[in-house]
Amino acid sequence: MNWSHRHNLLAGLGLILLVNAIALAGVAWNRSEPADSRLQLSERELGNSYEYWRKENSAIALRLDYRWPGGRANDYSESGSNQLNASKMRELGFNVPTEFNEDSMRRYRRQLDRDGLLVLEFNGPLYQQQLQRAQERLTKSRAELAALPTNKDLQETYQDARADLQREQTSASRLFIIDAGADRASLRATYPDRQRYAIVRGKISAWAWQHNDSWQLGGSAQLPVADSINLPQRWHQLFDSLPARKGDAEFPHSGGDKLFNAELVFGQRLEPWVVQFQAGQP
């Protein structure tokens, strides 16, 4: 091996070591005290992302399940996921048109995604509102069915309302995106309870469409840190032995989830990790 090759090899090894050192330093800084927030979650907010990989991969990755205000427990439509209004998009740095037409909306949609901060609320007023709406839907549906007990459509609506309330009470995520912004200090001042509100980094996208001759525009957000949260090895055996939620014959797909409680901490870089993990109650 000549001098040049030896130096290239050493330089490559040095670069690898440097990159690893920077990554480890970033993890250490993120996990240094004080943490930005701590949330006491359960399987309702932390789904198992990659269970089908377990045969080839011993890792266990959890997925942070969050919702937008107003959507039903199983609402994955655009109306349930695109919730940043025009005013909020302007605050986040997007150029929001003042005249609504094809050209202005095309330019609005073509704007590049932007980084922003999202506020997550856990088991707070928004979740209570969701429970109340589900209960109101059931009450209204029950009254309508009582007036026309043989109506098939009303019977289906009533059963759907019962299932919605059951999901809200037992399995739907209680974690909601409540706000967005660009300044971390301002958001924390508005939401000071670090046991209820977590601030996370997100990727903001613009959307717009025309419906019934009226333009609708706003934004949606993705949380990259929510896609995969590693469960430390020391809890793998416990995870595999966890009890599962029992199904209810009256409510299809109501069982099967592993039951657990976990403390999720968001650190200096607003990146989450699991610090406590235990079996939940059936």
Side-chain angles (χ1 to χ4, degrees), residues 76-191:
Y76 301 103
S77 66
E78 289 182 336
S79 63
S81 62
N82 299 323
Q83 294 287 341
L84 298 176
N85 60 30
S87 176
K88 184 61 64 176
M89 292 297 284
R90 185 179 293 107
E91 179 184 331
L92 289 166
F94 285 85
N95 183 13
V96 178
T98 56
E99 296 183 1
F100 291 3
N101 53 57
E102 288 284 354
D103 289 338
S104 66
M105 291 301 164
R106 187 180 301 110
R107 290 192 297 271
Y108 175 73
R109 284 193 297 258
R110 286 179 177 176
Q111 293 180 86
L112 296 177
D113 293 352
R114 289 177 176 266
D115 294 328
L117 299 173
L118 285 300
V119 180
L120 297 174
E121 178 187 273
F122 172 64
N123 199 18
L126 278 177
Y127 175 59
Q128 296 305 316
Q129 290 174 18
Q130 292 294 122
L131 281 175
Q132 183 177 350
R133 290 191 186 106
Q135 182 62 66
E136 289 172 351
R137 283 195 297 268
L138 178 59
T139 300
K140 179 174 181 291
S141 176
R142 181 185 291 116
E144 292 173 344
L145 181 60
L148 295 170
T150 61
N151 186 291
K152 298 296 185 182
D153 290 337
L154 293 179
Q155 291 174 7
E156 292 182 4
T157 300
Y158 173 68
Q159 293 300 328
D160 287 344
R162 289 186 68 229
D164 278 348
L165 180 59
Q166 192 268 352
R167 279 191 290 268
E168 288 289 359
Q169 292 173 330
T170 63
S171 61
S173 175
R174 295 160 292 178
L175 195 62
F176 287 81
I177 294 180
I178 188 175
D179 203 354
D183 184 74
R184 179 174 173 177
S186 296
L187 289 174
R188 182 52 74 192
T190 305
Y191 305 99

Side-chain angles (χ1 to χ4, degrees), residues 178-221:
I178 188 175
D179 203 354
D183 184 74
R184 179 174 173 177
S186 296
L187 289 174
R188 182 52 74 192
T190 305
Y191 305 99
D193 187 348
R194 297 172 187 265
Q195 310 296 316
R196 179 83 68 191
Y197 299 101
I199 299 174
V200 295
R201 301 189 188 281
K203 187 70 69 174
I204 315 297
S205 304
W207 57 258
W209 67 77
Q210 191 174 21
H211 178 68
N212 293 335
D213 297 325
S214 177
W215 282 101
Q216 308 292 324
L217 65 85
S220 60

Side-chain angles (χ1 to χ4, degrees), residues 39-57:
L39 303 183
Q40 305 293 331
L41 308 178
S42 75
E43 75 286 342
R44 296 173 64 168
E45 293 78 36
L46 289 169
N48 185 16
S49 293
Y50 306 116
E51 188 170 3
Y52 60 90
W53 281 7
R54 293 298 301 285
K55 293 181 180 179
E56 293 82 19
N57 189 335

